[in-house]
């Protein structure tokens, strides 16, 4: 099931990198309102993990979630349209950067509440398996989430009921400005150990290393194993959120940032390709994103009269705010 | 005519839906044994895979249900205590309720949250006696508070079949009500019920208070003709049904076992006076602002809306329009 093709793995990290860079430009240009949490520097994790998944599998991401959705194979044009709040977006413009979801490929959404997705994925995987599918799930979360009780409850439930969920902690060293050392007593892997959940630490900057670790975990889970945890050590190359481009916050030593940026997942994976292959992928990704930007910016904005369409799946309609 | 208790009506609804639809399953604390006396016998009949005891992890199992619903199942969660809803307000409101809109209509989250024994249980004190239905109505989660065995059955069945999250409050004060019930049928959401017709004043009563309102109406029968309206569903609210009633009587009193500020009674009164010119100012009988139910039985009762207060409110409303 695993996709071990190094060219495709490179394409994924490159696509996420360039998507994010263009999205940041669109934030600065005012076409994306509200800003984004760029996934820059962490691309290898989503790419490596998603390469280990099959079609029936499900995942849920985070506020820093573009990479997870793209790595799973969502259409970059509809993804970008969503960020721009257009009707053609994945969520018809109702979700935006922090909630982009594509249920048709098993992306149950980015979840903007830290630590919230683990239990949702656990329930979804359990339900799919009860209905006879061979589904495994992935819950991505940051180092900040490991202090949320909700997530630790989900660890317990998944382990207790042996639900095959791969918990992927993207440890980028900070929760907004809070360093891990200032927030995490004990260790991340130690939390897994408390529930007898096997855990490994991997270099999240190397997409292939992540893919190998995720594939091994997925194989064990498909063979009947319970949940596992991967702590992927990573670093975000840019800001927590694009508001920091306007407001300088002083919490990461500049030399730490410079040093971390030398371990670039796009470069690391790119060096495994022949120059001509890499150039071909780069060109194809640029063309895809050129088209995505054109599509997003030329798509219609939603009609304000339809603001609460989709509020109820049952078709219930809400009273309006009145005044007329 | 078979007599059925409110509690057994809930059991019947769960059993019938478990039988009818393989996608339905139950989650909760101590439900296999049936500590609440609602799920009694269901684990034996339907298996422990579909009647699942959970660890004490309300936040995790509430979102577990959301995930299971996203994957096509219809979970029903039983909560042991009404205040546990505070613990999972996040999971219900910020996740289950918001997913359909936030995903642009890509999904539905058909979960039922059942709270047997909501409101005061006499002697269970501050942390076990809340009746937080107005919170869910406020955020737009479908909220039902059945008063009778037939409605308990019919609304729970409808809740389970409904494609959005539904909170079902089964008041402690109604759990032992028994009734003659002919046929058990689904009850539509958002449709109130007039239990007693009257000409002078419409009393809206919620949940177990419907029975108090009926008793007061009988008591006062020789002085004032009271209509008793039971909304059954608080959100969506049957404002058309209530408007029709108040348009006839011209007077409105609301009996609501919730706190006063921003409570259900306030919403009901506002919705009516937007539409109907009343003959007298409307009145409401509620819990006090910010109520915490004290332990001692006399104090517990003192904080809940009672029959005497209702009778007084009806008299004052009549006097105001004399
Ligand atoms: C429960 C919760 N608390 C606080 C926030 C505000 N918030 C958004 S992202 C974030 C930091 C999260 O850090 P981490 O989990 O390490 O992820 P990272 O941003 O580093 O990818 C915070 C505090 C939130 N969204 N949810
Ligand atoms: Mg972090």
């Amino acid at each position: 099931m695993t996709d071990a093709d190094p060219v495709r793995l490179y394409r994924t990290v490159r696509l996420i990198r360039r998507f994010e860079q263009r999205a940041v430009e669109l934030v600065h240009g005012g076409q994306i309102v509200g800003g984004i949490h760029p996934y820059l520097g962490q691309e290898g994790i989503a790419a490596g993990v998603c390469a280990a998944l099959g079609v029936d599998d499900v995942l849920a991401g985070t506020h820093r979630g573009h990479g997870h959705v793209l790595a799973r194979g969502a259409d970059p044009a509809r993804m970008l349209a969503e960020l721009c709040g257009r009707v053609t977006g994945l969520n018809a413009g109702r979700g935006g950067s922090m909630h982009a979801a594509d249920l048709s490929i098993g992306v149950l959404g980015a979840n903007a509440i830290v630590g919230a997705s683990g239990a949702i994925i656990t329930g979804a995987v359990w339900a799919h398996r009860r209905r006879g599918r061979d589904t495994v799930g992935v819950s991505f979360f940051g180092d900040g989430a490991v202090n949320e009780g909700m997530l630790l409850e989900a660890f317990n439930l998944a382990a207790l009921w042996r639900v095959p969920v791969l918990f992927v902690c993207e440890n980028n060293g900070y929760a907004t400005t809070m360093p891990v050392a200032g927030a995490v007593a004990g260790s991340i892997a130690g939390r897994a150990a408390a529930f007898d959940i096997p855990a490994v630490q991997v270099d999240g900057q190397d997409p292939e290393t992540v893919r190998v670790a995720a594939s091994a975990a997925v194989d064990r889970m498909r063979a009947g194993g319970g949940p596992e945890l991967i702590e992927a050590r990573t670093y975000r190359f840019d800001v927590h959120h694009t508001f920091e481009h306007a407001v300088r916050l002083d919490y990461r030593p500049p030399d730490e940032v410079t040093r971390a940026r030398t371990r670039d997942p796009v470069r690391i994976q790119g060096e495994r390709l022949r120059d001509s292959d890499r150039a071909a992928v780069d060109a194809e990704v640029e063309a895809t994103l050129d088209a995505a930007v054109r599509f997003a910016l030329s798509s219609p904005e939603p009609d304000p009269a339809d603001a609460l369409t989709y509020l109820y799946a049952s078709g219930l309609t809400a009273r309006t705010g009145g005044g007329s | 005519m078979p007599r059925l208790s409110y509690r057994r009506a809930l059991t019947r609804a769960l059993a019938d839906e478990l039988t009818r639809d393989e996608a339905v399953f139950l989650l909760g604390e101590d439900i296999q044994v049936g500590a609440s006396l609602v799920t009694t016998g269901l684990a034996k009949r339907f298996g422990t895979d579909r009647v699942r005891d959970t660890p004490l992890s309300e936040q995790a199992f509430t979102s577990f249900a959301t995930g299971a619903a996203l994957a096509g199942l219809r979970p029903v969660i039983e909560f042991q205590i009404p205040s546990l809803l505070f613990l999972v307000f996040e999971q219900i409101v910020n996740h289950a309720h918001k997913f359909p809109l936030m995903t642009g209509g890509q999904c539905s989250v058909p979960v039922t949250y059942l709270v047997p024994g909501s409101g005061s249980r006499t002697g269970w004190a501050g942390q076990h006696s809340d009746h937080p239905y107005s919170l869910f109505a406020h955020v737009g989660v479908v909220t039902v508070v059945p008063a009778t065995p037939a409605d308990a059955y019919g609304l729970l069945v409808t809740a389970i079949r409904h494609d959005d999250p539904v909170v079902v409050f089964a008041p402690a004060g109604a759990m032992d009500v028994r009734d003659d019930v002919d046929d058990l049928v689904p009850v539509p959401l958002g449709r109130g019920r007039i239990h007693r017709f009257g000409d002078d004043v419409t009393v809206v009563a919620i949940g177990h208070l419907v029975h108090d309102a009926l008793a007061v109406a009988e008591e006062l029968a020789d002085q004032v003709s009271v209509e008793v309206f039971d909304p059954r569903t608080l959100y969506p609210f049957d404002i058309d049904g209530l408007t029709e009633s108040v348009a006839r009587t011209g007077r409105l009193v609301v009996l609501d076992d919730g706190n006063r500020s921003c409570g259900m009674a306030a919403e009901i009164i506002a919705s009516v006076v937007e539409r109907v010119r009343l003959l007298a100012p409307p009145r409401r009988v509620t819990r006090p602002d910010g109520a915490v139910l004290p332990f001692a039985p006399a104090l517990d009762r003192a904080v809940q809306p009672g029959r005497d207060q209702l009778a007084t409110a009806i008299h004052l409303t009549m006097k105001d329009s004399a």
Side-chain angles (χ1 to χ4, degrees):
Chain A
M1 194 84 84
T2 295
D3 184 352
D5 179 0
V7 178
R8 276 198 291 272
L9 195 53
Y10 173 72
R11 183 190 183 271
T12 307
V13 289
R14 177 78 189 183
L15 174 73
I16 300 171
R17 170 66 51 89
R18 294 294 296 136
F19 181 97
E20 292 294 67
Q21 289 172 335
R22 283 171 181 248
V24 168
E25 284 168 20
L26 292 172
V27 169
H28 294 163
Q31 292 97 337
I32 294 176
V33 298
I36 63 168
H37 299 84
Y39 197 58
L40 296 165
Q42 305 185 195
E43 298 89 341
I45 305 171
V49 169
C50 288
L53 298 179
V55 285
D56 276 347
D57 298 334
V58 293
L59 66 83
T62 66
H63 56 285
R64 199 176 305 290
H66 304 171
H68 312 125
V69 184
L70 291 170
R72 185 63 180 153
D75 176 359
R78 294 196 57 211
M79 176 79 185
L80 202 57
E82 186 55 38
L83 270 49
C84 295
R86 307 301 168 108
V87 273
T88 54
L90 289 174
N91 308 32
R94 270 70 173 178
S97 166
M98 283 193 282
H99 305 297
D102 187 345
L103 278 283
S104 70
I105 54 172
V107 179
L108 305 192
N111 203 312
I113 297 302
V114 170
S117 79
I120 295 172
I121 280 291
T122 302
V125 171
W126 178 83
H128 280 302
R129 295 183 86 80
R130 199 167 157 270
R131 306 176 91 209
R133 302 202 186 98
D134 196 24
T135 302
V136 303
V138 179
S139 165
F140 291 98
F141 51 87
D143 46 281
V146 305
N147 302 315
E148 292 286 358
M150 198 173 9
L151 182 66
L152 299 176
E153 286 188 17
F155 282 7
N156 185 60
L157 215 56
L160 187 74
W161 291 347
R162 288 188 72 72
V163 185
V165 173
L166 182 57
F167 292 103
V168 178
C169 179
E170 304 183 314
N171 181 357
N172 60 11
Y174 294 84
T176 314
T177 67
M178 169 61 83
V180 168
V184 181
S187 68
I188 294 169
R191 283 159 171 65
F195 301 99
D196 273 346
I197 295 176
V200 291
Q201 281 183 3
V202 302
D203 173 10
Q205 298 312 95
D206 183 345
E208 177 62 9
T209 301
V210 174
R211 187 194 65 78
V212 169
S215 299
V218 167
D219 286 347
R220 285 188 294 269
M221 294 196 298
R222 276 214 225 280
E228 302 208 10
L229 181 139
I230 292 176
E231 178 188 347
R233 296 292 186 89
T234 186
Y235 201 84
R236 64 174 153 72
F237 286 2
D238 198 0
V239 290
H240 170 67
H241 180 274
T242 47
F243 79 76
E244 273 184 72
H245 289 152
V247 188
R248 285 263 158 250
L249 299 178
D250 183 18
Y251 58 97
R252 300 198 300 186
D255 60 315
E256 177 186 293
V257 180
T258 310
R259 218 174 328 112
R261 279 169 157 274
T262 63
R263 304 223 52 250
D264 180 338
V266 180
R267 190 183 45 73
I268 289 171
Q269 187 60 23
E271 282 171 1
R272 297 185 174 127
L273 271 58
R274 282 202 303 267
D275 288 353
S276 57
D277 286 346
R278 194 173 58 239
V281 169
D282 291 354
E284 183 267 321
V285 164
E286 277 338 282
T288 299
L289 291 174
D290 286 344
V293 172
R294 277 197 306 274
F295 174 80
L297 296 183
S298 65
S299 289
E301 312 222 359
D303 181 348
D306 297 337
L308 288 188
T309 308
Y310 311 122
L311 180 57
Y312 297 105
S314 57
L316 186 68
T317 51
R319 280 191 295 176
T320 67
S324 53
Chain B
M1 240 189 261
R3 271 182 91 69
L4 184 68
S5 78
Y6 189 110
R7 197 184 299 272
R8 274 302 139 253
L10 294 174
T11 314
R12 282 277 286 279
L14 293 173
D16 286 358
E17 290 309 288
L18 283 161
T19 305
R20 194 187 59 82
D21 185 353
E22 267 295 314
V24 175
F25 73 102
L26 314 187
L27 280 172
E29 292 160 359
D30 310 297
I31 63 172
Q32 287 177 355
V33 166
S36 67
L37 306 179
V38 167
T39 54
T40 314
L42 297 179
K44 209 169 190 178
R45 209 169 135 198
F46 298 98
T48 51
D49 192 44
R50 292 183 72 198
V51 180
R52 296 182 76 80
D53 269 351
T54 60
L56 310 188
S57 304
E58 292 78 13
Q59 302 191 332
F61 67 66
T62 301
S63 274
F64 179 96
T66 301
L70 289 172
L73 298 185
R74 289 188 177 270
V76 179
I77 306 179
E78 184 195 275
F79 290 98
Q80 272 186 355
I81 315 170
S83 55
L84 295 181
L85 292 173
F86 301 147
L87 204 54
V88 299
F89 202 62
E90 154 75 10
Q91 283 71 19
I92 296 174
V93 176
N94 214 14
H95 302 271
H97 168 62
K98 290 186 181 175
F99 271 33
L101 181 127
M102 291 199 308
T103 60
Q106 294 181 65
C107 66
S108 60
V109 187
V111 184
T112 302
Y113 312 98
L114 173 63
V115 191
S118 58
S120 168
R121 299 174 180 179
T122 310
W124 284 68
Q127 291 181 328
H128 283 66
S129 306
D130 293 293
H131 222 161
Y133 42 70
S134 66
L135 298 181
F136 292 91
H138 179 71
V139 295
V141 173
V142 173
T143 304
V144 303
V145 193
T148 67
D151 284 344
Y153 177 90
L155 284 165
L156 181 52
V157 163
T158 299
I160 295 170
R161 297 181 191 177
H162 192 69
D163 280 338
D164 287 309
V166 182
V167 187
V168 179
F169 288 91
M175 292 293 276
D176 295 318
V177 170
R178 284 167 186 283
D179 225 345
D180 295 330
V181 180
D182 293 314
D183 40 16
L184 291 169
V185 291
V187 170
L189 297 173
R191 200 81 59 76
R193 170 176 170 188
I194 296 173
H195 284 265
R196 181 186 198 281
F197 283 92
D199 303 320
D200 298 330
V201 55
T202 300
V203 171
V204 178
I206 295 169
H208 61 296
L209 297 179
V210 167
H211 306 288
D212 294 292
L214 287 168
V216 170
E218 279 312 311
E219 253 168 55
L220 304 183
D222 55 348
Q223 305 155 56
V224 46
S225 170
V226 176
E227 177 146 319
V228 176
F229 182 91
D230 169 8
R232 305 195 287 189
T233 308
L234 297 183
Y235 187 90
F237 192 90
D238 184 4
I239 189 62
D240 290 338
L242 179 58
T243 300
E244 186 278 323
S245 168
V246 180
R248 277 189 284 104
T249 62
R251 298 178 190 85
L252 175 65
V253 174
V254 182
L255 186 61
D256 167 19
D257 190 31
N259 295 354
R260 199 166 180 85
S261 282
C262 306
M264 210 49 227
E267 174 57 33
I268 291 168
I269 288 171
S271 296
V272 169
V273 300
E274 279 175 338
R275 293 172 156 225
V276 183
R277 198 178 295 278
L278 299 174
L279 302 173
R283 291 186 177 268
R284 54 182 157 152
V285 180
T286 65
R287 292 187 181 192
D289 275 347
V292 176
L293 261 60
F295 164 68
L299 303 182
D300 176 317
R301 264 195 309 280
V303 176
Q304 296 178 63
R307 294 182 184 185
D308 292 348
Q309 288 163 286
L310 176 61
T312 306
I314 291 171
H315 283 311
L316 289 173
T317 303
M318 294 311 295
K319 214 172 87 196
D320 283 345
S321 54

